[in-house]
Amino acid sequence: MTAQHSRWTHHRTVGFGYVAISLAAACVGTVLSLLMRLHLTWPAWSLPLHGLILPEEYLALVTMHGTLMLFFVLTVAPQSGFGNLILPAQIGARRMAFPRLNAASMGLTGLALLVLLAAFFVPGGSPISGWTAYPPLSATALAGPGQGEGMDVWLAAIALFSLASTLGAINTLTTIVKLRGEGMSWQRLPLTVWGWFTAALLSVLVFSVLLAALAMLFCDRHLQSGFFLPTGDLVNGVLLQHHGDGSPLLWLHLFWFFGHPEVYIAILPGMGLTSMVLANFAHRRVFAYRLMIATTLLIGFLGILVWGHHMFVAGLNPFAGSAFALSSMAIALPSSAKVLSWLATIWRSRPRLTTPMLFALGFVSLFITGGLTGPILAQPILDEYLHNTFFVVAHFHLIMAMAGIFGLFCATYYWFPLLFGRLLSEPLGKLHFAGTLIGAYGTFLPMHLTGLAGEPRQYAQLTGGGSGPAGQLLQTTLPLQHGITYAAFFLACAQLPFLLNLVLTLRSHLLATPNPWSATTMEWASQDFDEASTEDKPTGLVTYRGPCHYSEDGVSFLPQWESGATSTLPPE
C-alpha cells in the first residue's frame, strides 16, 4: 500500500472524517430545530426568502431534524468518530483491523448525508412522516407532499447509512478482539472500549434488521408488495392494496427492534467515558469495575428486548405489553448500578473540576434526570396518556440527546490535547459548560409539563384551535412554549464560546504537555507510535494493570502501562 493510500485509510484520518460529517449534520439539524421553535411560538412569522412555514413544511422539518441528529450526530460521532480516533491507541494497536473497509464505511456515511440533504431539493420536498416513517402513510406518495421522491431519497439515505454502520461495527469488533496489545486482557480493557464493543454488537444486529425493513417498505411503495399495507386500506380515496394482507404493526416491530437499541448505541460510549473521566480526575479507581463491565453488557442485552414499549397504544397484545413493561423496568437496574458506581467513585474525593470533569458530571445529571421518566413511560396505563406528547420529547432529549451531547463535549475537551497537542481554554470551557447545562434544562424540563397537560407533539401550530377543549388546552400551554423557545435559542448561543475556544486554541502556538490530565489509559502513551502504518508491529507498550489505577494513597500517579518488555511495577 502506498504512503498516500495509507494516509487516507489511517484511523485518525477516518475518525476526523466522521467528526466532520457529524458537525455538518449537527449544524443543519440545529437550524431546523430553531425554525421549528420559531414556527410553534410565532406561527405567523415569515421565513425570509420563503414566506410562511406551512404545516407540511413543519412536518418536514421534524422529519429531517430527527433523522440528522439521531443517525448522523448521536450515532456517528461517539461510535465511529471518537471510536476511530482513540480506540486503537487505547488498546495498544497501531490501526483498525480493516483500514480500507474503514475508509469505505466513512465514505458511505458521507454519501448517505448528501443523499439525505438532497431530499430538500427534490419535487415535493423532504418527507413528512417523521424519522420513524410509519406506514401506511410512508408507503404511498398519495399521503402528502414529500411522500413521493422525498421519501424515496430518505429510504436510500438511511439504507446507505445502515450498510455503512454495519461495516463499521464489524471493523470495531474485529479490532477489539484481534488487535489488543500485550497484556491487554478483557478485564483490563477501559470502560470506553467496553462501550464501543457493546454498541458495535448492537449495531451489527439492529442495522441489518433496519436495512431489511427499508427494503420491504421500498417494495411496498414501488413493487406492489404488501408487507405493511392491509387489504382495503384507502389513502385520499385510493385503494392501496388489492391483494395480500400486510400489517403496519410489522413495520413497528422491525423499526423499534432497531430504534430502541439505537438509544444505547448512542449513549454507551458516553457512559464508558464518563466512568473513566470521573475516576481520573478524582484519582480513584472505578468503583466496582467488573460490575461496570457486566452492566454495560447487560444494558446492551436488555436493550434489544424492550422495543415493544414504543407500541403500547398500537394494538399490542396485552400479555406482550406486560412482558415489555417488565423488561423496560428491568433495564433500570444496570443503569442505576452505573449511577451508583459514578457517585461512589467521586464520593469524598477532591476532584479536579476541569472542563472534561464538569461535562462528565453534567452527563450524570442529565442521565439521572432523563432516566427518572423512563419507568413512567414503561407503564402501559401511563403511556396511553403520555404517548405522542411533549413528555416523550422531553424524556428522549434529556437522556439521549443532551446526555449524548455532553458525552461528546467531554470527549472533545478530554482528548483534544492528544489529538492536537493543545489544551482548550478552561475559562471558555467552563463558560460553555454552564451555558449548555442551563440551556438544556431550560429547554427540555418544561416539556414535561406541556406533555402532562396533554399537548401532542408534531402539531404544526398551537394557536387557532377554536374555543373547544382542544383549543383551550393548546392556549394554556402556549406560554410555556414561548419560554422553551427562548431557552432553545439560549442553548444554541451557548455553543459560541466553544467555537471561539476552538479557533483561538488552534491558532495558538502554546503546546500542551504530554498527558496533561495524568491519565492512566494507554492512548496517552501512544503519540510516539501512532503513525500511518498497516503493519502489525509491536508498540513496545505492555499492560500490567487495569486502567484508572492509582496508588493506595489515592494521589500518586500510576499508569497501567510501561514501555519495554520488562517492568519495575509489581504484578496486579
Side-chain angles (χ1 to χ4, degrees):
M1 181 179 293
T2 65
Q4 183 177 6
H5 283 240
S6 179
R7 178 168 60 88
W8 287 110
T9 58
H10 187 242
H11 63 91
R12 287 276 170 90
T13 304
V14 173
F16 282 123
Y18 276 121
V19 170
I21 291 169
S22 288
L23 185 59
C27 292
V28 177
T30 300
V31 171
L32 297 183
S33 68
L34 295 179
L35 290 175
M36 290 157 51
R37 297 306 320 169
L38 284 170
H39 180 72
L40 272 180
T41 308
W42 300 286
W45 175 75
S46 181
L47 180 63
L49 304 178
H50 177 79
L52 292 175
I53 297 177
L54 301 176
E56 59 268 25
E57 292 172 332
Y58 176 82
L59 293 178
L61 294 176
V62 172
T63 301
M64 296 298 282
H65 165 75
T67 304
L68 284 166
M69 301 303 279
L70 191 87
F71 288 96
F72 292 93
V73 178
L74 295 174
T75 302
V76 169
Q79 181 68 9
S80 302
F82 282 103
N84 273 281
L85 290 171
I86 304 300
L87 170 61
Q90 199 163 71
I91 63 173
R94 288 182 177 272
R95 60 177 178 86
M96 297 292 282
F98 307 116
R100 291 185 178 181
L101 182 65
N102 199 27
S105 301
M106 187 267 289
L108 283 174
T109 304
L111 178 61
L113 176 61
L114 294 176
V115 171
L116 180 68
L117 295 178
F120 285 114
F121 307 103
V122 299
S126 50
I128 62 174
S129 51
W131 75 276
T132 56
Y134 286 165
L137 297 181
S138 64
T140 174
L142 300 172
Q147 294 303 94
E149 294 183 29
M151 191 67 209
D152 287 334
V153 170
W154 187 91
L155 289 174
I158 304 307
L160 286 171
F161 185 89
S162 300
L163 178 61
S165 298
T166 302
L167 296 177
I170 292 171
N171 198 11
T172 298
L173 292 173
T174 308
T175 301
I176 296 173
V177 172
K178 302 295 291 185
L179 299 186
R180 298 193 311 275
E182 183 179 353
M184 184 62 76
S185 64
W186 286 99
Q187 293 186 7
R188 290 175 176 172
L189 285 177
L191 292 175
T192 44
V193 178
W194 279 108
W196 286 318
F197 179 79
T198 308
L201 283 175
L202 292 175
S203 296
V204 171
L205 290 172
V206 303
F207 275 108
S208 56
V209 172
L210 177 62
L211 186 59
L214 294 170
M216 294 162 70
L217 183 57
F218 180 85
C219 291
D220 276 7
R221 289 175 58 84
H222 297 288
L223 301 179
Q224 288 74 52
S225 60
F227 294 109
F228 309 122
L229 296 176
T231 300
D233 200 14
L234 295 172
V235 173
N236 284 339
V238 177
L239 184 66
L240 297 182
Q241 181 60 275
H242 297 275
H243 55 81
D245 190 15
S247 172
L249 276 177
L250 176 60
W251 170 267
L252 267 67
H253 280 291
L254 294 174
F255 183 86
W256 286 117
F257 183 81
F258 149 79
H260 198 82
E262 166 67 9
V263 174
Y264 301 107
I265 293 172
I267 205 73
L268 280 171
M271 289 182 176
L273 177 63
T274 294
S275 299
M276 307 306 294
V277 169
L278 292 178
N280 185 75
F281 290 108
H283 280 195
R284 297 275 187 86
R285 303 185 190 187
V286 176
F287 183 82
Y289 193 87
R290 293 181 180 178
L291 177 63
M292 291 294 275
I293 295 173
T295 55
T296 298
L297 295 171
L298 187 58
I299 286 174
F301 172 72
L302 292 174
I304 62 175
L305 302 179
V306 299
W307 77 89
H309 70 224
H310 296 272
M311 303 166 56
F312 287 149
V313 301
L316 196 65
N317 184 293
F319 295 102
S322 298
F324 283 122
L326 289 173
S327 62
S328 300
M329 289 186 287
I331 206 169
L333 296 177
S335 299
S336 300
K338 283 193 174 295
V339 172
L340 292 175
S341 173
W342 294 333
L343 297 179
T345 299
I346 62 174
W347 180 254
R348 292 187 176 179
S349 68
R350 292 186 176 182
R352 294 171 58 195
L353 294 179
T354 61
T355 304
M357 181 67 168
L358 290 175
F359 273 102
L361 292 171
F363 177 97
V364 175
S365 172
L366 290 161
F367 184 78
I368 294 173
T369 306
L372 287 174
T373 54
I376 296 175
L377 294 172
Q379 304 300 316
I381 192 65
L382 297 176
D383 186 72
E384 288 182 9
Y385 175 76
L386 296 171
H387 184 81
N388 215 32
T389 69
F390 267 92
F391 192 92
V392 178
V393 178
H395 163 73
F396 176 82
H397 279 79
L398 280 177
I399 198 168
M400 183 180 178
M402 287 297 99
I405 292 297
F406 268 64
L408 290 176
F409 282 131
C410 176
T412 301
Y413 282 97
Y414 183 64
W415 281 316
F416 198 86
L418 176 67
L419 299 173
F420 296 99
R422 294 169 175 83
L423 272 172
L424 288 166
S425 166
E426 281 291 299
L428 282 174
K430 291 176 179 178
L431 177 63
H432 175 219
F433 164 76
T436 304
L437 187 69
I438 294 170
Y441 276 122
T443 301
F444 298 110
L445 272 183
M447 289 185 184
H448 291 95
L449 301 178
T450 64
L452 286 171
E455 182 179 309
R457 62 191 297 194
Q458 297 180 346
Y459 266 37
Q461 189 169 325
L462 303 179
T463 58
S467 58
Q472 294 175 8
L473 167 66
L474 297 180
Q475 289 297 325
T476 59
T477 59
L478 190 58
L480 270 177
Q481 289 291 354
H482 278 77
I484 293 170
T485 299
Y486 298 138
F489 275 88
F490 177 83
L491 177 60
C493 292
Q495 309 316 305
L496 295 177
F498 174 67
L499 298 177
L500 178 63
N501 202 348
L502 283 179
V503 173
L504 294 179
T505 303
L506 290 175
R507 294 182 60 183
S508 172
H509 298 291
L510 296 176
L511 299 179
T513 58
N515 196 2
W517 312 124
S518 294
T520 62
T521 43
M522 192 176 289
E523 74 271 20
W524 294 98
S526 64
Q527 294 97 324
D528 57 339
F529 68 80
D530 186 45
E531 302 170 352
S533 174
T534 59
E535 301 178 10
D536 291 321
K537 296 179 181 178
T539 62
L541 297 176
V542 183
T543 305
Y544 290 97
R545 59 189 72 237
C548 290
H549 192 119
Y550 287 81
S551 65
E552 295 302 324
D553 60 10
V555 176
S556 302
F557 170 63
L558 187 63
Q560 66 157 339
W561 40 263
E562 185 170 302
S563 299
T566 60
S567 173
T568 58
L569 295 177
E572 186 178 2

